Amino acid sequence: MNILLLGAPGSGKGTQSEFLCEKNNYIHLSTGDLFRKNIGNETELGVLAKSYINKGILVPDEVTNKMVEEYLKDNSDNVIFDGYPRNVEQAKELDKMLNSINKMLNCVVYLDIDDSVLIDRIVNRVVCPVCKRSYHLINRKPKVANKCDFDNADLQSREDDKLDKVSKRLETYNNQTKPLIDFYKDRLIKINANNKKPIEVYKDIIEALKK
Ligand code: ADP
């Protein structure tokens, strides 16, 4: 089964992807992580992507679609799509790509969360550059300050998580990504992600997926 996790920046898509992959047989496709890997390796794609990401806007569709198409050549079953599709054009393209290999996006889990909590979550987020797990400086601290619990790497803040970038990212989400809620209404599962621990959100997702 292929699942899309849909939700605003900071809604918990990455964290829920971690749970779904650790506890089940899923593979995590995060276009954000793929771009950041390319940025870290200073590839041509990375240099291009960085100029968009640091402005809080989307990387052009043709670039992103091509990257996903490459990824799907090796992995097209039990994929958790995190951060892709991010607009209706990408959603149509993904349908085409999956169709051509007799696969489909089976369900869309929408993490519904109030705008008021998002900014706090994003500016307090630190991530492990090695395993990509994310932490919150107040609510989900690592066991040892500034070190990843799993591989002891130094945790980092994302450049685009700085306060001055966040409002543009939320605007991009509201204008371009939110219309996907309607686009996918035939396969949408809405999960309330407010005021709940990540593990509780995860349990709600698993319950909903059983139905
Ligand atoms: P978040 O969900 O917290 O915003 P991501 O790691 O998913 O973070 O994405 C970071 C940035 O990478 C986005 O703001 C955007 O610039 C770029 N990006 C990620 N996925 C896509 C996509 N599907 N299409 C275009 N740009 C993308």
Side-chain angles (χ1 to χ4, degrees):
M1 177 154 80
N2 291 318
I3 301 174
L4 165 64
L5 287 183
L6 181 63
S11 60
K13 301 184 297 293
T15 305
Q16 295 306 322
S17 300
E18 265 172 46
F19 283 134
L20 285 159
C21 293
E22 268 165 23
K23 299 177 194 291
N24 308 272
N25 190 22
Y26 286 111
I27 317 161
H28 184 202
L29 164 56
S30 160
T31 40
D33 283 349
L34 286 182
F35 285 135
R36 282 185 287 278
K37 195 169 160 197
N38 275 280
I39 293 171
N41 293 337
E42 296 179 354
T43 66
E44 205 179 313
L45 171 64
V47 174
L48 177 80
K50 190 175 176 179
S51 62
Y52 295 93
I53 292 177
N54 285 350
K55 288 190 199 114
I57 57 176
L58 298 187
V59 177
D61 288 346
E62 58 275 20
V63 176
T64 310
N65 290 337
K66 204 166 145 221
M67 183 174 78
V68 172
E69 194 175 13
E70 283 300 311
Y71 183 93
L72 290 177
K73 283 184 185 159
D74 298 321
N75 314 278
S76 59
D77 264 325
N78 290 338
V79 179
I80 303 287
F81 290 87
D82 163 10
Y84 181 92
R86 232 177 171 93
N87 60 29
V88 172
E89 291 69 31
Q90 292 182 5
K92 289 181 180 162
E93 193 55 36
L94 178 63
D95 271 351
K96 267 196 233 158
M97 288 192 257
L98 289 174
N99 237 324
S100 71
I101 48 172
N102 290 322
K103 301 279 161 64
M104 67 177 291
L105 185 61
N106 303 82
C107 108
V108 176
V109 174
Y110 167 48
L111 299 176
D112 187 21
I113 189 156
D114 293 344
D115 281 359
S116 54
V117 287
L118 293 175
I119 294 183
D120 166 77
R121 284 199 187 183
I122 298 170
V123 297
N124 284 299
R125 165 160 67 186
V126 281
V127 289
C128 172
V130 178
C131 69
K132 314 297 174 209
R133 285 183 175 85
S134 63
Y135 299 82
H136 184 282
L137 290 173
I138 298 151
N139 301 331
R140 198 177 176 228
K141 288 185 193 175
K143 293 190 185 113
V144 177
N146 210 38
K147 296 278 183 195
C148 177
D149 292 351
F150 294 85
D151 46 42
N152 213 35
D154 286 339
L155 300 174
Q156 298 173 346
S157 292
R158 274 168 46 181
E159 187 57 38
D160 61 338
D161 277 350
K162 302 221 167 83
L163 188 57
D164 58 330
K165 312 274 167 62
V166 173
S167 57
K168 184 69 194 169
R169 281 168 62 204
L170 291 175
E171 185 190 312
T172 304
Y173 170 76
N174 282 319
N175 293 339
Q176 302 198 46
T177 310
K178 251 191 161 174
L180 290 177
I181 296 171
D182 188 54
F183 182 86
Y184 286 125
K185 57 178 180 290
D186 61 331
R187 50 197 132 154
L188 195 85
I189 296 175
K190 185 167 159 178
I191 300 287
N192 178 356
N194 283 302
N195 303 319
K196 276 194 230 159
K197 291 197 174 119
I199 192 74
E200 291 166 2
V201 176
Y202 169 71
K203 284 181 186 155
D204 288 349
I205 294 175
I206 292 296
E207 271 313 301
L209 288 176
K210 281 185 195 155
K211 287 179 193 155

